[in-house]
Structure formats: structure tokens, C-alpha cells
Amino acid sequence: MDTYYRPEDLHKFSSVGEHAPRLWKKFSEWYAEVFKDGALDEKTKAIVALAVAHAIQCPYCIDAYTRTCLEKGATPEEMTEAVHVASAIRGGASLVHGVQMKNVIEKISL
Amino acid sequence: MEGLEGLRSFDDMLRESGLYPLRAEDVRILQMNLGSLCNQSCKHCHVEAGPKRVELMSKDVMECCLRVVDEHNIGCVDITGGAPEMNPHYRWLIEECARSNIHLMVRTNLTILTRQGYRDIPELLARSGAEVVASLPHYTEGITDRIRGRGVFKASMEALEVLNSLGYGEGELELNIMYNSAGAYLPPPQKRLEDEFREALSRHGVRFNKLYTLVNMPVGRFFSFLKGSGNLVPYMQRLVDSCNRDTISALMCRTTLSVGWDGTLYDCDFNQMLSLRCNSGAPYHIRDFCMEELKHRVITTGPHCYGCTAGSGSSCTGETT
């Protein structure tokens, strides 16, 4: 079955650099640096990336960082909690806009 | 392997690295596979071991191995299976090894040590000064039991406690844990995982010396899983993409010789399960052992060899770089 997001396309990611190699090089170097051990270790960074992948709903990132999390030693329990964190922020972000709704109600109501 | 025609061959990678053909540099470890009989049928097992397997190494072949070890001063015997404890000559073999000056490594799935008829073995191993390499796929009960069967984690903890009570895990009796990933992905960095295992197992009162990580090899039952689940090509691609040429000089096949239950010689336990015997003009049966011809033999390779060169490297004693 054909699909808009094909898993094998992830391996073509570097082809994005064909028409802007200098920018691709800078991105690649920065990206690699971001995920190295630092104030946060590689496992924690992978879990953060997984959570963000769910928040932005990027199928490539979900595939890639599910695997990366497992390869960094994250457990399914840790990963699931990270997805809940992403979901809570997404849900909370919608809900907190209820304040805007209330402001509008107050403004236009007698 | 079917569907993998597009992948760069292992030999081509060796050629590009200027290391073709891959050659052994010595025979320092004789790894004896005592047979495929096992009390477990783990999902990842490259041996496809289980309770219905009948292949078992005979005492004659064992004697032949010990003669070779003695005559050629091979420093280490590594005993594996299956569950090697289920071989009827296991106790005799351990005692014979203990009589000599070699380093003895025994691999165990742990649960067998809690079974009726095998509970004397931990004491025998302690008396023999054997290094125990205990396989345990994870420090959580859920993941371990998913791969190995219900109750395996609890039984494994029980066996580890017994080994600890005999002095294993500290001092001179070495107890190491062998970890393999719970699926089609590479293991985490060994040192970091060792720290996590140590902390988690300490909650069960368990001590161990080192943790070894092993990449799941696309062989046996794990190969069937990869093929059946559509993971074969992506997993092989992952292994190829993760190939680290710095691991080649330390590949275990360069210093280990593997003996099958019937005495046939292989470059490693994985080649053994693929029936790829030593095939470079050197003898291929333990009774014809010839150190001169075997120590620099050309090693038989295949796509599965990428499992040992992935990331930080993989071997029966963990990472190689």
C-alpha cells in the first residue's frame, strides 16, 4: 500500500542537502553535536526527542527516536511516560486557551 | 540472504578497509558448544535451542578438546550451549578443566541452576573457580519474561542470589551478565547499561562484576523473527550503517575457535549455527586439530558478520572497542 510518509524515505534525508550543501553541512554538524552527552546525557536527549516527535507528530522522528531510545537503554515505561508528557503539554496548551475564550466571552457579553 | 542483495557485502567492506581476507591471529580460546538442548526456548536464540533438541557433545569429543587445549597451551575454555548443564558429561568436563591451569568460562541461562537435578552446579562452579557468564536480557521482569518465558526473571534472580551466596560477584569468583537487545535494535552503550543493571539488580540484593552487551545476530530464531516481522532488511541496513572498522582487528573469531557438539570446527558459534564450518584448507574437526594451519586460517564470513562490527563491536565478552 502506498503512503505519503514512506519509512524508507528517511534514508534519503541527506538528499535535502543536494541544492544547499553548505546549509546541510551546518545542520548535520549542529544536529550531531546537539545529541552528544552534555549537561543532559544521550539517553535523556533521545527521550526528549521522542516526546517532541510526538508533539509535532513527525512519523520519521517517531520511527527514528523510538529506535534510538531503545538503543540508549530507555525502557518502554520511560518512553510511554515521555509521550504522556508531550500529550499533556499539547492538551494543556489547548485547554489554557480557554482563558482566551473566557476573555472574549467577558468582553462581548452583557 | 534473500532480500539483502542491495547491501554491501562484508567481504567488500573488508576489501575497502584493506583487511581482506579476514584471518585469525591465534587460537587463544576454545569455545565448546555442548549441544542445543535447553530448558528454555528464547525468542532471540541463534542456536534455536530448546527442550526437544537432541544434539549433545559426547565425552569422546570433550576428551579430544581437552587434549588439544593441553597440547597447544590454549589459555581459555568457553563452555556454551543450549543449556550446557544439561549435557550428561558437563560435571566431568568442569572438573577436568579445573584440574588444569586454564581459565574456564561457563555460560548459563541461570534458570537451569534452579531446576531439580541441577542445583549442585553453582557449588561445583565455585569450587572450580569458573567465570560464570549469565545471560539476562533485562533488569525488568516484563522484558525478560517477554523474551524468555514467564517466571524466568524470578528464577534468574534466585540463581544469581545462590551464586552471590557462594562468593560470586565479588572477589575472585567472577560473575558477568550477558545482555542482548529485546528486539531489532542495537544494545545501549555497555558501561552505561552496566550502571543501570547494577542499580536495578541491587534492589534484588544481586551483585555482579561486569555486564557484556551482545548484538542480536541475524541467525537462528532471531533471523526467523526478523524475516517474519518485516524487520530483516531494516535491521541488516542498521548493522551495515553502524559498521565500525575499528572493531575488525578485535573480532572474536580472530582468537577463538568454536567446536560444535559433534567436534566440527567453526570460526564462531554463529557460523556454527549456519553450518559454515572452517573452510580454508585447515582441518575442520577437533580430532584433526593442527595449530599451525588453524591459527592464521582464513575466516568464513557472511552478512551476519556485520553484527560483530556494529557500533562499539560485539563479541561473547561484550563490546570490542
Side-chain angles (χ1 to χ4, degrees), chain B residues 159-180:
Chain B
L160 287 168
E161 282 166 28
V162 170
L163 289 165
N164 282 165
S165 73
L166 292 164
Y168 270 104
E170 56 188 3
E172 286 184 5
L173 288 173
E174 209 171 334
L175 170 61
N176 298 317
I177 287 180
M178 177 62 82
Y179 162 95
N180 60 282

Side-chain angles (χ1 to χ4, degrees), chain B residues 117-183:
Chain B
Y118 299 96
R119 290 183 190 145
D120 60 309
I121 287 176
E123 212 170 302
L124 168 68
L125 297 177
R127 220 169 41 239
S128 309
E131 173 189 342
V132 172
V133 181
S135 53
L136 185 68
H138 207 258
Y139 55 79
T140 62
E141 185 170 359
I143 293 177
T144 295
D145 284 7
R146 195 181 82 215
I147 299 174
R148 310 205 127 180
R150 192 183 293 179
V152 166
F153 184 80
K154 283 199 172 81
S156 300
M157 291 304 110
E158 190 187 321
L160 287 168
E161 282 166 28
V162 170
L163 289 165
N164 282 165
S165 73
L166 292 164
Y168 270 104
E170 56 188 3
E172 286 184 5
L173 288 173
E174 209 171 334
L175 170 61
N176 298 317
I177 287 180
M178 177 62 82
Y179 162 95
N180 60 282
S181 301

Side-chain angles (χ1 to χ4, degrees), chain A residues 11 37 41-44 66-78, chain B residues 138-140 143 184-189 192-193 196 231 234-235 237-238 241:
Chain A
H11 295 290
D37 271 334
D41 62 39
E42 289 184 350
K43 177 180 161 183
T44 306
T66 298
R67 178 182 296 275
T68 304
C69 279
L70 292 169
E71 292 186 348
K72 298 294 178 197
T75 62
E77 288 78 9
E78 290 171 323
Chain B
H138 207 258
Y139 55 79
T140 62
I143 293 177
Y185 50 89
L186 300 179
R192 181 168 297 157
L193 191 66
E196 290 181 12
N231 278 301
Y235 186 68
Q237 188 67 56
R238 180 84 183 108
D241 291 346

Side-chain angles (χ1 to χ4, degrees), chain B:
Chain B
M1 288 185 202
E2 195 185 323
L4 301 177
E5 297 78 11
L7 292 179
R8 182 183 47 175
S9 79
F10 192 78
D11 283 351
D12 282 349
M13 184 277 293
L14 290 173
R15 277 189 197 94
E16 287 163 23
S17 311
L19 294 167
Y20 180 84
L22 185 64
R23 281 189 183 276
E25 63 170 306
D26 202 352
V27 180
R28 293 186 202 131
I29 301 170
L30 194 73
Q31 187 174 61
M32 298 168 62
N33 190 313
L34 303 197
S36 313
L37 182 62
C38 188
N39 58 315
Q40 295 180 178
S41 301
C42 302
K43 288 181 181 175
H44 68 280
C45 183
H46 70 277
V47 179
E48 300 188 75
K52 291 182 180 165
R53 297 295 298 262
V54 293
E55 303 89 338
L56 284 170
M57 186 178 277
S58 67
K59 200 170 172 184
D60 284 349
V61 171
M62 290 181 188
E63 281 171 337
C64 216
C65 290
L66 294 177
R67 206 160 41 243
V68 164
V69 167
D70 184 47
E71 283 172 10
H72 299 276
N73 293 319
I74 295 174
C76 178
V77 168
D78 179 348
I79 294 174
T80 189
E85 299 92 335
M86 295 178 85
N87 184 303
H89 311 297
Y90 178 81
R91 291 170 180 80
W92 174 84
L93 177 64
I94 299 297
E95 279 166 0
E96 286 299 308
C97 288
R99 261 192 263 280
S100 62
N101 209 17
I102 53 163
H103 179 68
L104 174 63
M105 284 171 81
V106 296
R107 295 177 190 275
T108 181
N109 67 22
L110 289 173
T111 61
I112 189 72
L113 304 177
T114 66
R115 293 279 188 98
Q116 190 83 40
Y118 299 96
R119 290 183 190 145
D120 60 309
I121 287 176
E123 212 170 302
L124 168 68
L125 297 177
R127 220 169 41 239
S128 309
E131 173 189 342
V132 172
V133 181
S135 53
L136 185 68
H138 207 258
Y139 55 79
T140 62
E141 185 170 359
I143 293 177
T144 295
D145 284 7
R146 195 181 82 215
I147 299 174
R148 310 205 127 180
R150 192 183 293 179
V152 166
F153 184 80
K154 283 199 172 81
S156 300
M157 291 304 110
E158 190 187 321
L160 287 168
E161 282 166 28
V162 170
L163 289 165
N164 282 165
S165 73
L166 292 164
Y168 270 104
E170 56 188 3
E172 286 184 5
L173 288 173
E174 209 171 334
L175 170 61
N176 298 317
I177 287 180
M178 177 62 82
Y179 162 95
N180 60 282
S181 301
Y185 50 89
L186 300 179
Q190 187 167 278
K191 184 70 187 83
R192 181 168 297 157
L193 191 66
E194 181 180 292
D195 293 343
E196 290 181 12
F197 261 73
R198 203 176 300 287
E199 191 192 333
L201 294 188
S202 70
R203 283 183 233 127
H204 297 269
V206 166
R207 300 178 303 277
F208 65 95
N209 294 94
K210 285 182 288 203
L211 178 125
Y212 299 141
T213 55
L214 181 73
V215 171
N216 281 325
M217 297 298 278
V219 175
R221 225 171 258 144
F222 187 67
F223 177 82
S224 302
F225 156 74
L226 289 174
K227 209 169 172 197
S229 61
N231 278 301
L232 181 59
V233 174
Y235 186 68
M236 289 306 300
Q237 188 67 56
R238 180 84 183 108
L239 296 184
V240 173
D241 291 346
S242 308
C243 177
N244 174 0
R245 293 174 194 210
D246 292 342
T247 63
I248 297 170
S249 62
L251 284 170
M252 64 178 171
C253 52
R254 301 196 67 221
T255 51
T256 301
L257 189 66
S258 161
V259 190
W261 67 275
D262 61 353
T264 305
L265 300 181
Y266 303 89
D267 296 308
C268 68
D269 204 51
F270 306 112
N271 277 9
Q272 185 176 146
M273 299 314 143
L274 293 166
S275 303
L276 299 171
R277 64 188 189 192
C278 285
N279 187 26
S280 54
Y284 60 81
H285 196 280
I286 192 70
R287 70 172 166 261
D288 305 316
F289 187 92
C290 171
M291 183 60 102
E292 282 313 300
E293 288 186 62
L294 283 163
K295 70 178 178 185
H296 297 308
R297 70 191 186 279
V298 172
I299 289 162
T300 304
T301 58
H304 61 289
C305 298
Y306 276 115
C308 287
T309 58
S312 301
S314 177
S315 76
C316 291
T317 49
E319 289 181 351
T320 54
T321 57

